[in-house]
Each structure stands twice: as C-alpha cells, then as structure tokens.
Amino acid sequence: MAYSSTVQDCLPSRRSPGTVYAPPQPLEHLHVLDLLELTGSQTKAARALALHQSTVCRSAALMGEQFRLQPRRGASVLRYGSNESLRLLRLAYRAHRLMDGLLRVATDPLHQPLLTGMVSVQPVPPRFRCSRQWALLLKQALLDGAIVSSWCHPRLVASERPPSWSGVITVPLGALPLQLVSHPPATAGASAPRKVLLPCRSITPLLHEAMAWHGFQVEQQPNSCHDVPSWLKRMGDRQLAMPLCPGLVDPGWIQAQSLVPYPEQLCLMEQLWLLLPQGQVGSSREAWHLIRTLQQRVEQAGEARLVETELAEEEQ
C-alpha cells in the first residue's frame, strides 16, 4: 500500500546526502532487542533487520543477561522484560536518533502509507495495537511517535478532547472515512456475505462494536498476521469484507487486488492522533515537521475519498 501524494517531507535531514542511519556500536544490541519487541518474533525481527535469526537470538540473550530482564510471557508489549536501567538506555538511544534528525515512528498496516517516504522517520514494521499499548511503548522509549486510530481506543472520545496519558502528548491529525471492500461474489447476482475481517477485539473494540451493531459477523485476523498479503489471502479464502481508507492506497490498487466496494457502505469515520513523548522530542523541529506533514496527508487522503464518492454517485 504505497502512499501517493504530492506532499513531500520538507524537513532537511541532518545526515549527509546518501547516508543511512545506524545505531552507534554500544547500542547495536539494544537496536536488535527493540525491533524484537516491536515485531513480536525473532523471525520478523531478523527480516526487518536483514540479519540471521541466530544473531537476533544472541543479541536478545545478551541484553537479557546484562540487564537482568525477566520475560513477561503472554504480554502484548515488553514481552522480553524491562527495568529502569534499560529504559534509561533507551532514552539515550532516543536522544542519539534525535541528534541525527531521526524519529522512530510506528503505526498499523492500514495507516502505514502515511509515513511512506519521510526521510526523518526510522521505519518500523507496522503492527496493530490498542492505544494504551502505543502509549506504553512511547513511555518506555521504544518509539518516538505513533499514529493511532480512535477505533483502537476503548471508548468514544470527542474530537476536541483527545485522550491523554502521563508523559505523552496527543496531537489530532484529522479524520478519515473508511470504506468496506471485498471480493466480488463468485456467482453473479449473489448477495455479499455480511462478514468482515478485523483485528482482535482487544485492539479495535469500538470497530467491533460498530460492525456488530450493523449486523455484521466479525472474524478476527490472528494477532501474528499483520502484513497486508496475509489479510488479503484470508479475505479471499473466506469471502470477507475489510475496512480501509481508499485515499491511503495508490490509484488502481483496489482493482489490482480484485476488490470491489462492498454493496452496503457504512458511515465509518475515524479520528487519527499522533502520540509523542513529552520533553525534547515533542518540542523538536522534527516533531513539528512530522505533525504538519501528517496533517496534510490525512487531509489529502480524506479529500481523495470524497472526490471518489462524488464521481461514483455521478456515474449512477
């Protein structure tokens, strides 16, 4: 899902042209542990880091031994343990990223296109999480920013009063409409099944409630599957619909995936927030440019969806 927009990240990089950021040697094992925490498995971390899985395993074991970490089996975040010593080291790593003009910003696969092409953002594999988990990752300095949807919050929030967490700044980015898409029925004239594919209920509780209220049967995507191809495969195999924002995908992407708008469209609007840590990062020029660029991109994505809807109505 590549983002198509004329908006460019106007922030001049502090790195020399053509250089790629790499953590300093004393922080290399921490970098591996961070990606292990953020991706959720050694296999995915190794893929994201372009390393052998055994290297990831050794780095995690070394960090666990030196920092006396106690794994939290079954936990959704900080599965490999944390303590004050490790948190302070992560704050040092955050300061080094910022010194180099870089922020580690994450979001879920649906909104990952908003970050495409930003030279001031360190890529992180996308993953669905609830808002509380995103805030915790910021407070523990694993992330420098996170784009969060209102559907991932446990309760409805007025747009003028975004949620708040201690030590975290919540910046409204705007609103986006979601559209249900699905594969066309195998038989011409057949009605589309009222089934929809969503992340786990614990991650998007309000979206589950909205779909159930409209009479849809919800099927949950396994929490281990966060990549777009896995979602598309499950959709096709089980004839499921899925919500997405057409303004966040390339023109023609929906058709290229053999998807069509679901016959019954619902009014699904989401508020987007950017979570930032209070302090140096939240007040930095990198954060200011990130906010401005994301707000422009969200506005353009919403306008693209509006134009598409108006054209479809004219054709009918």
Side-chain angles (χ1 to χ4, degrees):
M1 292 186 181
Y3 182 83
S4 295
S5 173
T6 57
V7 175
Q8 300 295 323
D9 184 18
C10 55
L11 177 64
S13 175
R14 300 180 188 180
R15 300 182 297 283
S16 301
T19 62
V20 177
Y21 173 83
Q25 187 174 3
L27 297 175
E28 287 178 351
H29 291 299
L30 175 63
H31 183 68
V32 174
L33 180 63
D34 281 0
L35 266 292
L36 183 58
E37 287 280 9
L38 293 171
T39 58
S41 74
Q42 292 183 5
T43 303
K44 293 177 182 178
R47 188 182 306 124
L49 293 163
L51 295 175
H52 195 278
Q53 187 172 336
S54 61
T55 303
V56 174
C57 182
R58 284 195 298 271
S59 287
L62 180 65
M63 293 296 291
E65 178 182 353
Q66 293 186 345
F67 285 86
R68 304 172 189 174
L69 301 179
Q70 298 296 323
R72 303 167 63 235
R73 302 190 185 282
S76 300
V77 291
L78 304 179
R79 294 172 56 193
Y80 297 88
S82 184
N83 53 37
E84 184 64 10
S85 177
L86 184 61
R87 189 185 72 85
L88 291 173
L89 185 64
R90 282 177 166 146
L91 286 173
Y93 187 16
R94 170 184 283 173
H96 189 273
R97 289 193 296 269
L98 185 60
M99 185 171 63
D100 210 48
L102 202 63
L103 298 177
R104 181 188 282 170
V105 185
T107 188
D108 58 64
L110 183 63
H111 302 98
Q112 183 68 17
L114 287 169
L115 295 171
T116 300
M118 292 192 184
V119 297
S120 60
V121 170
Q122 184 184 61
V124 178
R127 189 176 179 89
F128 287 103
R129 302 183 190 275
C130 68
S131 58
R132 179 187 59 81
Q133 292 171 354
W134 286 120
L136 179 58
L137 289 171
L138 259 78
K139 293 172 69 173
Q140 290 292 320
L142 276 96
L143 294 174
D144 308 322
I147 301 174
V148 181
S149 168
S150 56
W151 293 117
C152 299
H153 202 57
R155 59 185 181 277
L156 291 173
V157 176
S159 58
E160 65 275 9
R161 296 188 64 183
S164 61
W165 295 268
S166 174
V168 175
I169 302 170
T170 305
V171 183
L173 297 178
L176 281 180
L178 299 184
Q179 177 179 341
L180 290 178
V181 296
S182 63
H183 290 278
T187 305
S191 59
R194 294 181 65 82
K195 297 181 179 180
V196 64
L197 181 62
L198 299 179
C200 295
R201 184 180 181 88
S202 60
I203 294 175
T204 54
L206 296 181
L207 192 53
H208 276 251
E209 291 179 12
M211 299 308 302
W213 189 86
H214 285 284
F216 280 81
Q217 179 181 337
V218 175
E219 179 162 334
Q220 299 184 125
Q221 177 78 340
N223 202 31
S224 59
C225 300
H226 293 262
D227 58 290
V228 174
S230 296
W231 281 72
L232 294 174
K233 184 178 187 305
R234 185 171 292 266
M235 282 181 64
D237 292 345
R238 309 198 181 193
Q239 286 296 299
L240 304 171
M242 182 181 76
L244 57 78
C245 177
L248 290 182
V249 299
D250 284 331
W253 183 87
I254 293 178
Q255 292 81 357
Q257 306 304 320
S258 301
L259 300 174
V260 297
Y262 189 81
E264 178 188 348
Q265 288 299 320
L266 312 177
C267 182
L268 297 173
M269 293 292 296
E270 64 173 352
Q271 300 289 326
L272 292 184
W273 310 307
L274 175 65
L275 306 188
L276 294 167
Q278 290 180 347
Q280 186 179 11
V281 171
S283 59
S284 67
R285 66 168 192 160
E286 284 78 10
W288 186 84
H289 280 279
L290 176 65
I291 293 168
R292 186 174 68 174
T293 303
L294 288 175
Q295 287 175 340
Q296 289 175 339
R297 290 188 171 189
V298 169
E299 182 180 4
Q300 286 193 344
E303 291 175 350
R305 173 68 184 98
L306 179 62
V307 170
E308 179 182 308
T309 301
E310 291 174 347
L311 290 175
E313 291 176 350
E314 291 177 1
E315 291 177 357
Q316 294 176 358

